[in-house]
Amino acid sequence: MNDYKVIEIKRSVFESNDREADKVRQQLKADRTFLLNLMSSPGSGKTTTLKQTIAALKDEYKIGVMEADIDSDVDAKTIAETGAKSIQLHTGGMCHLDAGMTKQGLDSFGSNEFDFVVLENVGNLVCPAEFDTGASKNAMILSVPEGDDKPLKYPLMFTVSDCVLINKIDTKSVFDFDDEAVVERIKKLNPNCEIFFISAKTGEGIDAWTNWLRKEINAWNS
Amino acid sequence: MNDYKVIEIKRSVFESNDREADKVRQQLKADRTFLLNLMSSPGSGKTTTLKQTIAALKDEYKIGVMEADIDSDVDAKTIAETGAKSIQLHTGGMCHLDAGMTKQGLDSFGSNEFDFVVLENVGNLVCPAEFDTGASKNAMILSVPEGDDKPLKYPLMFTVSDCVLINKIDTKSVFDFDDEAVVERIKKLNPNCEIFFISAKTGEGIDAWTNWLRKEINAWNS
């Protein structure tokens, strides 16, 4: 039995997403639940990165994962296999989650039972960047095959992310990808952004990323 | 001097996008201009594929390229280097093009001078699938690193595409990608879809794709 369920979330009725996002954050803080909003393009390795992250942190925290997807439950099934509790949010075609939709997911999930909840946002570098979900921190994944020019083309996503994971570094032999150029482009948009180079497939770099995450979770939940 | 300009397009004022899309298509047919709407995720290789496509067809057709991007002119610069005429459409943050926005681009570009115009849509597997641009045909690119499960997760995009290009087949050695599974998943959504396996980097498979395209252009413009 896979331990997940599917809920259909509806477009938020709230006029001000930012106000609603602040309320979500206040509740998370009161509940001592750290919410990470994880964004990326389709196929950048969000789910595989999550599996590594859960493996590294599951003995320290009670972890839940909310998988937002337009119309499938592929990811929730995969995550459920790790033993973490998982829920699938169906956005009904919507290309992003806003704070009201995130709240529906958190409430349905019973998020106050968890120390650490990950919201795996819809695979999209455009729309999710425009909506504050109310998360404690935003992280995004850029994978090597996508190219080092993405900060130039999707600047808002890189601007709103507290942390950027450069994934699939194990595939560098077959792609032209300039590490220095990508760091420079990200830092120009967002000087305080944390950047980690990882391979979710081989596990390389996962320690540095989960060390950062552990520090952020502990600071939020203290 | 790079031969391209940048225009800012505005959100369409038309109530019915489908009606506007049909008008765009009628005008293109009258002008004997074939418009290809090319969609994909960020980093799937749209621009590199276009360069190969232009190289294969430039002696037969007068080709123009409209590059839709949120806020950069990286791609228009690249395309201008091929010698094809190119225009950059800035969507002002919008995550897709609708038919009215496409018409603004076509009119500004003087599209009736061309036999074949490519609209490189915003890199996004969600929103562009929801809006008929008025194009003669829709094509999309799925690259090997994105994974063979994408038809399960972004079904509408695969449903509205007349043709799917599976790109970056030169990188298969470093990714698990099941050709048969992806074809089966696409055909289940869209039985008449044409599927070509290509490497825009090495040129493999480009002939089959441009043969299909040549047939479609000639049928449209006859």
Side-chain angles (χ1 to χ4, degrees), chain A residues 113-134:
Chain A
E113 290 175 31
F114 298 99
D115 307 312
F116 172 35
V117 173
V118 183
L119 171 62
E120 189 178 326
N121 215 312
V122 181
N124 183 330
L125 282 192
V126 185
C127 318
E130 295 168 16
F131 292 85
D132 186 347
T133 58

Side-chain angles (χ1 to χ4, degrees), chain B residues 8-209:
Chain B
E8 311 293 328
I9 50 176
K10 295 194 171 50
R11 193 189 285 253
S12 173
V13 296
F14 300 101
E15 273 183 38
S16 164
N17 184 64
D18 286 348
R19 202 161 53 214
E20 186 64 17
D22 285 339
K23 281 168 62 182
V24 169
R25 239 183 318 270
Q26 283 163 22
Q27 187 63 50
L28 288 165
K29 187 79 186 162
D31 291 342
R32 296 187 172 192
T33 301
F34 179 89
L35 177 64
L36 180 76
N37 176 29
L38 184 61
M39 300 177 284
S40 84
S41 217
S44 66
K46 281 197 297 301
T47 309
T48 312
T49 302
L50 266 184
K51 284 172 71 177
Q52 290 274 9
T53 306
I54 291 166
L57 299 176
K58 69 180 178 187
D59 294 337
E60 298 163 64
Y61 305 108
K62 205 168 168 205
I63 304 175
V65 178
M66 304 200 299
E67 294 286 345
D69 238 320
I70 292 170
D71 188 32
S72 83
D73 56 8
V74 179
D75 293 336
K77 277 185 181 157
T78 306
I79 292 298
E81 289 161 9
T82 67
K85 201 169 167 191
S86 144
I87 189 174
Q88 182 78 47
L89 309 182
H90 276 176
T91 65
M94 286 285 285
C95 50
H96 66 274
L97 292 181
D98 62 18
M101 295 159 86
T102 303
K103 187 176 186 316
Q104 290 172 56
L106 290 168
D107 290 350
S108 170
F109 200 22
S111 63
N112 55 0
E113 289 175 31
F114 300 97
D115 306 312
F116 172 35
V117 174
V118 183
L119 171 62
E120 189 178 326
N121 215 312
V122 180
N124 184 330
L125 283 193
V126 186
C127 318
E130 295 168 15
F131 292 86
D132 186 348
T133 59
S136 315
K137 292 285 172 184
N138 294 322
M140 71 161 288
I141 302 177
L142 171 69
S143 63
V144 164
E146 294 169 63
D148 54 38
D149 62 342
K150 291 301 161 290
L152 302 174
K153 299 178 72 176
Y154 303 92
L156 186 62
M157 177 59 79
F158 290 84
T159 304
V160 303
S161 293
D162 301 292
C163 175
V164 175
L165 300 175
I166 312 284
N167 191 22
K168 304 192 189 179
I169 57 171
D170 56 293
T171 68
K172 273 196 187 164
S173 60
V174 296
F175 295 102
D176 301 321
F177 190 92
D178 186 332
D179 290 1
E180 282 181 32
V182 82
V183 168
E184 188 182 316
R185 286 164 185 162
I186 296 168
K187 291 283 187 182
K188 191 175 173 188
L189 292 164
N190 186 353
N192 297 319
C193 186
E194 295 281 343
I195 304 171
F196 299 105
F197 288 78
I198 67 166
S199 166
K201 192 172 178 183
T202 68
E204 192 179 347
I206 294 292
D207 278 356
W209 147 244

Side-chain angles (χ1 to χ4, degrees), chain A residues 1-158:
Chain A
M1 284 291 293
N2 286 322
D3 184 19
Y4 73 95
K5 63 177 175 173
V6 175
I7 69 161
E8 311 293 327
I9 50 177
K10 295 196 171 47
R11 194 190 284 255
S12 173
V13 296
F14 300 100
E15 274 184 34
S16 164
N17 185 64
D18 286 348
R19 201 162 54 215
E20 185 63 17
D22 284 340
K23 280 167 61 180
V24 169
R25 238 182 319 269
Q26 282 163 23
Q27 187 62 49
L28 289 165
K29 187 80 185 159
D31 291 341
R32 297 188 170 191
T33 301
F34 179 89
L35 176 65
L36 180 76
N37 175 29
L38 184 61
M39 300 176 284
S40 84
S41 217
S44 66
K46 282 197 297 302
T47 310
T48 313
T49 302
L50 265 184
K51 284 172 70 176
Q52 289 275 7
T53 306
I54 292 166
L57 298 176
K58 69 180 177 186
D59 294 338
E60 298 164 64
Y61 305 109
K62 204 167 168 208
I63 303 176
V65 178
M66 303 199 298
E67 295 285 345
D69 239 320
I70 293 171
D71 188 31
S72 84
D73 57 6
V74 180
D75 293 338
K77 276 185 184 159
T78 306
I79 293 299
E81 288 161 9
T82 68
K85 202 169 166 191
S86 142
I87 189 174
Q88 182 77 47
L89 309 181
H90 276 176
T91 65
M94 286 285 285
C95 50
H96 65 274
L97 292 182
D98 62 18
M101 294 158 87
T102 302
K103 187 176 186 316
Q104 291 172 55
L106 290 168
D107 289 350
S108 170
F109 200 22
S111 63
N112 55 0
E113 290 175 31
F114 298 99
D115 307 312
F116 172 35
V117 173
V118 183
L119 171 62
E120 189 178 326
N121 215 312
V122 181
N124 183 330
L125 282 192
V126 185
C127 318
E130 295 168 16
F131 292 85
D132 186 347
T133 58
S136 315
K137 292 285 172 185
N138 294 322
M140 71 163 288
I141 303 176
L142 172 69
S143 64
V144 164
E146 295 170 61
D148 54 39
D149 63 341
K150 292 300 160 291
L152 303 174
K153 299 178 72 177
Y154 303 91
L156 186 61
M157 178 57 79
F158 290 85

